Amino acid sequence: MAGQTDDQNRLYQRDSKYIPRVAAVHDMCGYGKCSLTAAIPILSAAGCDVCPVPTALFSAHTMFKDYTFHDTTEMLPGYLDAWQKEGVDLDGIYSGFLGSAEQVDIIQRMYREYPKALRLVDPVMGDGGSMYPTYTEEMCRAVTNLVDGADLLMPNLTEVSLLTGIDYEGQDLDDAQVGQRLGRLLDMGAKNVIIKGIDRKDGKLRNFVASADHGGVSQRTELVHDKLPFMIHGTGDAFASSLCGALFAGRGLADAARIAGEFVRSAMQHTRNQPDYQQRGVSFELDLGQMTGLVR
């Protein structure tokens, strides 16, 4: 059963005079906009104070043939020690691409040190049925430990398979298959789940939202967006970042997911007008006003 997009499942109550502080636990990619180069501007436009926790440094994203990769795991304990000494506080912890399995322990340390912060998990592990080149099965098993207690889990269908062990069956799933996957993730302890990117070959893309405390799978919300006839790397990061931005603007969960879907679709249209658009990542600069409009 489809729910309504004007739901009252609000993960964050926005005070118009207060700027929420969000740690973005992601890699930094020099070219091919994604991860922190998406999270920082998009969340900032939505009125958030973004505190990066860089999990890796890339010269370019992994869809390029040549790229450099530097794992930052060794520096992160001291990085967070310094935050503790300075009394840094957080309203949210938004995690994405990781450089090593050990970084899951870093995120869980942050959960212990900031128990009131929202846990927003984009389990960035792969797409199209395959893991990303720098990921291993060990890393994917470690990321599974972030499901239990996640205030919001935002996987694509490849990541759903890696987290649950349910076979990847492509992007064209029926309602029963979607319900099975949502139910498994809720049973694993996620409080709210959004599964992204169901494509039934009808010119539409569908995202599904389910919440443990708001009816579970039986009351899931289906959000439908027109599908554009091309693909661009980095749309998942833009979606997750704009979704988190809308949540911290005080929007209900399903409404935030709708906003994020339209933000990405509009940004993709602008991206296609740029040279080398297939590789450069999502050109969302002209759409940042949509995010700022949420908190004006």
Side-chain angles (χ1 to χ4, degrees), residues 182-193:
L182 287 169
R184 181 73 63 85
L185 293 168
L186 292 174
D187 288 344
M188 290 171 66
K191 298 176 184 178
N192 300 279
V193 177

Side-chain angles (χ1 to χ4, degrees), residues 46-296:
C48 296
D49 176 6
V50 187
C51 301
V53 180
T55 57
L57 302 177
F58 284 88
S59 59
H61 62 65
T62 59
M63 296 300 290
F64 284 88
K65 180 180 178 180
D66 296 309
Y67 60 86
T68 62
F69 166 66
H70 176 72
D71 174 7
T72 63
T73 301
E74 289 188 1
M75 64 168 270
L76 293 180
Y79 191 102
L80 296 181
D81 289 346
W83 280 15
Q84 286 295 303
K85 291 175 183 177
E86 295 298 330
V88 173
D89 200 8
L90 297 173
D91 299 289
I93 299 166
Y94 160 40
S95 62
F97 188 99
L98 304 182
S100 71
E102 291 76 17
Q103 290 181 358
V104 171
D105 296 332
I106 295 292
I107 295 170
Q108 291 177 323
R109 168 188 168 174
M110 296 177 73
Y111 290 167
R112 292 191 298 271
E113 293 177 346
Y114 303 100
K116 296 181 180 179
L118 281 177
R119 302 178 182 185
L120 307 168
V121 180
D122 185 9
V124 180
M125 297 183 285
D127 203 359
S130 301
M131 288 186 295
Y132 290 129
T134 61
Y135 268 66
T136 65
E137 292 185 3
E138 177 193 7
M139 288 180 66
C140 293
R141 286 194 298 270
V143 172
T144 302
N145 293 322
L146 299 178
V147 175
D148 189 11
D151 291 295
L152 176 60
L153 185 71
M154 303 170 275
N156 64 31
L157 290 170
T158 300
E159 292 150 359
V160 169
S161 177
L162 292 168
L163 291 171
T164 64
I166 298 173
D167 289 342
Y168 175 76
E169 299 182 70
Q171 304 296 119
D172 183 4
L173 301 185
D174 61 27
D175 285 348
Q177 291 171 310
V178 171
Q180 178 197 27
R181 288 155 175 78
L182 287 169
R184 181 73 63 85
L185 293 168
L186 292 174
D187 288 344
M188 290 171 66
K191 298 176 184 178
N192 300 279
V193 177
I194 295 176
I195 293 181
K196 307 175 291 189
I198 289 83
D199 184 357
R200 294 177 177 167
K201 308 295 192 299
D202 60 355
K204 307 289 183 182
L205 286 177
R206 290 169 169 81
N207 301 321
F208 286 83
V209 184
S211 302
D213 292 337
H214 291 78
V217 174
S218 66
Q219 294 297 314
R220 62 185 178 271
T221 299
E222 177 182 356
L223 301 168
V224 183
H225 303 274
D226 291 334
K227 181 184 177 182
L228 296 174
F230 56 93
M231 297 298 293
I232 297 171
H233 182 82
T235 53
D237 292 337
F239 178 89
S241 297
S242 54
L243 171 58
C244 292
L247 289 175
F248 280 106
R251 298 302 182 97
L253 177 56
D255 193 35
R258 177 191 60 78
I259 289 167
E262 290 305 311
F263 175 85
V264 171
R265 183 177 182 275
S266 179
M268 287 179 68
Q269 290 175 313
H270 288 130
T271 302
R272 198 177 188 186
N273 296 327
Q274 313 311 314
D276 302 319
Y277 76 90
Q278 298 97 333
Q279 294 182 312
R280 66 186 296 155
V282 186
S283 297
F284 50 71
E285 290 82 357
L286 300 179
D287 297 279
L288 290 174
Q290 295 181 37
M291 303 310 299
T292 303
L294 298 177
V295 289
R296 279 194 180 128

